[in-house]
Amino acid sequence: MTQTDFYTILPISILIIWACALLLVDLFIPKGHKQTTALLAAIGLALTLGFSLSQIGSDLKGFNGMIVLDGFSIFLDVLLLLTGLFGVAVAKGYLTRFEMEHGEYYVLMMLSLSGMMLMAQATDLIITFLALELLSIPLYVLAAFALEHNESEEAGLKYLLLGAYSTGFVVFGISLIFGATGTTSFAGIFAAIQGGAATMSLLLIGSALLLVGFGFKVGLVPFHMWTPDVYQGSPTSVTAFMAAGAKAAGFAAILRIFASVFPALAVDLMPIVAGLSALTMIVGNFTAIAQTDIKRMLAFSSIAQAGYILMAFVPFANETVRATAISAGLFYLVAYTVTSFGTWGIVIALEKAEGKGLAIADYAGLGKKYPLLAASMAVFMLSLTGLPPTLGLVGKLYLFRAAIEGGVYWLAILGVLTSLVSAYYYLRVIVVMYMKEGDPQISREGWLEFTIGVCALLTVLFSLVPQQLFAWTSQALMFHF
Amino acid sequence: MVPLNYYLALSAILFSMGALGILIRRNSLIIFMSVELMLNAANLSFVIFARQWAANSASVFNGQIFVFFVMTVAAAEVAVGLALIVVIFRSHQSIDIDQLNNLKG
């Protein structure tokens, strides 16, 4: 292992070592004092974030080109670590309130996070596969973390079974790609395709299977069946982390693999990706309308949002648009992460024991009683719909522009139309909060309120200076694309 | 020597059996076995392709090494899965996935 190798995986190593050490330290922290574990986990995440930030600007290949450290991966590392910090902040009070305070929660979260980061850094299908599993297996456990509750057990098993199913597709897809090109490294596969040494039929089937596998992970229609059940059944703090982190990591892998390895297959893959994106937006938004449970509604909303992000991939082979399209995708990913985390934070604030406080009707009267909280929720709902003054609007504008420049006008139009549909169920929450009478009770927890506030501020502030964020996302693509 | 296509056909058949098994069987343990079948179908094709590329590829070992990774990862996944199944059996006295219908909407 050379120094370069070491440097490329430095943040991930810190995170994993910290997590393992925390598992031991946690043994000596008495029950009822697990806030200390949360604090230690947060320190570890902040430390890793510091190292990640210090790596900005580097462009290195480690382990014979299997893992890279480039703008793209650093950008996602930072985003994911912020997700992790938010995840710890919302979980701390939630776990105490629902009497499932176990230090393992934070350890599992950190391990899953290291898988997500590795996924963004992988440039070899072997590493992509390992990262995918490192990401998923702790999440299966986390989904079932509220063990005594039937819903949580059920969510865990469903997530595990469908996750394993999708892994099967990914592995078989990789085996066919390996068969077609004789290598698993991204650069090698790309070279084999360009040099004409690849068996195209095998390669096409392989990449389609890979797309199916990752489609399961990020919850694209028609591979989304698990999403509503798992999001609803898991503890809400886990759902928040899963909705933001797993999705970001899944999209990172799709982006890197399809944009840097398979441009030659674009003619065959582009209609499929466009179709998946369209189907995801339509089904996600229309099904969300019928939901009365807020967790389930947000699950369908997250499916719909995945459809919008996927829009950025459609022109992935078009040399002139690719860079703007992918940075638009990253931009929207940031917007989605911040907004959805804030929304889930509010759901956590209102949730009560035995699944109470989760109906949309329970939000009645929030505007009068807790004006700040209701205002944040309104900001998030506007952002998810894509209305001003929020990050969601800017993100959608960039996405639609990318689709139009890529020549898929119908997809952009469909995006606008489905956004209109989504306004119905997002704005309904605002209407319920401000115009219905009610007496909601929230749990006041400092860290949680802080997270919600930060998310709301970021959503509004970045929409005022979107150029800055867009400059960062464009910078993230300077290398390797 | 058995031609490559025979192996590939076998691997594709095993994979389809696994994928179908997950869709139509209702017992969680059988579903797990079907997952293993899918992964092992992939392993078979990895080994076969590794042999096919043995002569003219620098990264011939990638295919064979991948098989070991898949086996270890599958073991880890099953460990979590079986633990969950035990917990669910305790609360439901059954591991039939049709009994798991608390979440709906």
Side-chain angles (χ1 to χ4, degrees):
Chain A
M1 203 159 121
T2 65
Q3 208 172 355
T4 322
D5 292 348
F6 181 70
Y7 191 67
T8 47
I9 57 162
L10 187 60
I12 298 176
S13 328
I14 296 173
L15 202 59
I16 292 181
I17 292 170
W18 194 281
C20 294
L22 192 61
L23 198 59
L24 285 177
V25 171
D26 181 58
L27 286 176
F28 300 100
I29 298 174
K31 236 176 149 40
H33 291 82
K34 296 297 181 190
Q35 294 94 326
T36 323
T37 318
L39 196 65
L40 287 175
I43 292 172
L45 287 168
L47 193 70
T48 318
L49 183 63
F51 273 103
S52 259
L53 287 172
S54 78
Q55 286 178 325
I56 286 180
S58 38
D59 180 22
L60 294 169
K61 283 183 180 174
F63 299 95
N64 291 320
M66 288 177 106
I67 296 175
V68 290
L69 183 74
D70 56 5
F72 181 75
S73 69
I74 295 172
F75 183 85
L76 277 153
D77 281 359
V78 171
L79 180 68
L80 288 167
L81 285 166
L82 284 176
T83 313
L85 277 172
F86 286 161
V88 172
V90 297
K92 185 177 155 278
Y94 184 86
L95 295 183
T96 321
R97 189 165 6 130
F98 292 97
E99 287 161 8
M100 43 179 177
E101 241 189 342
H102 304 288
E104 290 84 2
Y105 182 95
Y106 305 104
V107 175
L108 286 168
M109 221 180 81
M110 288 168 91
L111 289 177
S112 176
L113 204 56
S114 61
M116 292 170 187
M117 288 164 66
L118 191 59
M119 191 105 132
Q121 293 194 300
T123 45
D124 191 294
L125 289 171
I126 295 182
I127 304 293
T128 308
F129 166 70
L130 286 178
L132 180 70
E133 290 305 297
L134 183 54
L135 176 178
S136 305
I137 294 176
L139 274 185
Y140 302 149
V141 184
L142 284 177
F145 206 76
L147 259 190
E148 55 276 20
H149 294 289
N150 287 340
E151 288 83 13
S152 182
E153 289 170 3
E154 186 180 333
L157 190 69
K158 279 185 176 163
Y159 194 27
L160 178 90
L161 288 178
L162 282 162
Y165 192 43
S166 71
T167 305
F169 280 98
V170 170
V171 175
F172 200 68
I174 294 176
S175 83
L176 293 185
I177 293 169
F178 172 70
T181 58
T183 171
T184 51
S185 91
F186 290 5
I189 297 170
F190 184 71
I193 297 173
Q194 296 311 91
T199 324
M200 287 315 262
S201 55
L202 271 185
L203 192 66
L204 196 61
I205 302 174
S207 58
L209 285 174
L210 210 57
L211 190 62
V212 170
F214 282 112
F216 266 109
K217 277 286 160 225
V218 295
L220 300 175
V221 177
F223 318 114
H224 68 292
M225 306 78 74
W226 60 273
T227 317
D229 283 358
V230 172
Y231 279 23
Q232 189 187 357
S234 309
T236 314
S237 57
V238 176
T239 312
F241 177 64
M242 186 158 42
K247 208 156 270 196
F251 273 115
I254 299 183
L255 264 175
R256 205 191 267 284
I257 295 175
F258 283 83
S260 68
V261 181
F262 296 133
L265 298 178
V267 188
D268 302 291
L269 286 179
M270 206 171 114
I272 303 179
V273 178
L276 281 179
S277 163
L279 206 60
T280 310
M281 289 188 289
I282 295 172
V283 173
N285 280 318
F286 276 95
T287 327
I289 290 180
Q291 306 305 322
T292 50
D293 182 288
I294 187 111
K295 278 176 97 173
R296 219 172 162 82
M297 185 202 97
L298 287 173
F300 280 107
S301 128
S302 89
I303 293 173
Q305 301 292 335
Y308 292 113
I309 302 174
L310 195 68
M311 204 188 265
F313 293 106
V314 177
F316 74 87
N318 189 334
E319 286 288 345
T320 46
V321 220
R322 186 167 66 196
T324 40
I326 296 179
S327 37
L330 281 183
F331 188 99
Y332 200 75
L333 205 56
V334 176
Y336 167 75
T337 307
V338 172
T339 316
S340 86
F341 228 104
T343 321
W344 287 111
I346 291 177
V347 175
I348 289 175
L350 267 98
E351 187 172 348
K352 284 176 210 56
E354 284 158 20
K356 296 279 186 314
L358 286 175
I360 295 174
D362 291 328
Y363 285 69
L366 201 68
K368 236 177 229 158
K369 201 165 170 196
Y370 303 103
L372 271 179
L373 199 73
S376 320
M377 187 64 165
V379 165
F380 298 139
M381 290 293 120
L382 290 176
S383 177
L384 286 171
T385 324
L387 290 172
T390 59
L391 205 50
L393 167 80
V394 191
K396 271 191 181 152
L397 282 181
Y398 281 133
L399 278 180
F400 296 158
R401 189 184 71 181
I404 289 170
E405 281 176 357
V408 269
Y409 297 99
W410 64 272
L411 198 60
I413 295 171
L414 193 74
V416 176
L417 290 179
T418 49
S419 298
L420 283 179
V421 172
S422 75
Y424 176 77
Y425 63 88
Y426 288 131
L427 299 186
R428 189 177 59 189
V429 177
I430 300 184
V431 170
V432 168
M433 280 191 315
Y434 283 101
M435 304 192 181
K436 293 249 170 72
E437 293 296 323
D439 187 29
Q441 290 294 327
I442 67 159
S443 312
R444 301 207 76 108
E445 281 150 16
W447 288 30
L448 178 62
E449 282 170 23
F450 178 72
T451 309
I452 296 171
V454 167
C455 287
L457 274 181
L458 285 179
T459 310
V460 177
L461 287 183
F462 266 127
S463 77
L464 302 176
V465 278
Q467 305 86 345
Q468 185 53 50
L469 184 57
F470 197 72
W472 287 338
T473 57
S474 311
Q475 227 165 27
L477 302 178
M478 297 274 270
F479 320 101
H480 301 303
F481 276 99
Chain B
M1 186 178 141
V2 184
L4 173 81
N5 284 348
Y6 287 23
Y7 287 110
L8 275 187
L10 175 63
S11 152
I13 291 170
L14 285 176
F15 183 79
S16 320
M17 277 167 64
L20 265 181
I22 292 175
L23 295 178
I24 58 177
R25 298 305 289 263
R26 307 271 53 114
N27 183 308
S28 329
L29 281 176
I30 307 246
I31 293 180
F32 258 106
M33 287 158 66
S34 304
V35 168
E36 292 297 305
L37 208 54
M38 282 171 85
L39 293 178
N40 283 322
N43 281 350
L44 179 64
S45 68
F46 266 121
V47 173
I48 286 313
F49 283 129
R51 196 178 67 167
Q52 185 213 358
W53 286 100
N56 50 4
S57 172
S59 49
V60 41
F61 290 117
N62 281 12
Q64 295 168 1
I65 288 170
F66 209 119
V67 172
F68 284 101
F69 279 126
V70 171
M71 290 196 302
T72 27
V73 163
E77 211 162 49
V78 165
V80 171
L82 289 180
L84 272 175
I85 289 178
V86 169
V87 167
I88 282 176
F89 183 76
R90 275 196 204 145
S91 58
H92 289 77
Q93 314 303 324
S94 151
I95 50 170
D96 190 325
I97 55 163
D98 283 338
Q99 307 273 323
L100 296 173
N101 49 10
N102 288 313
L103 300 166
K104 246 185 240 161

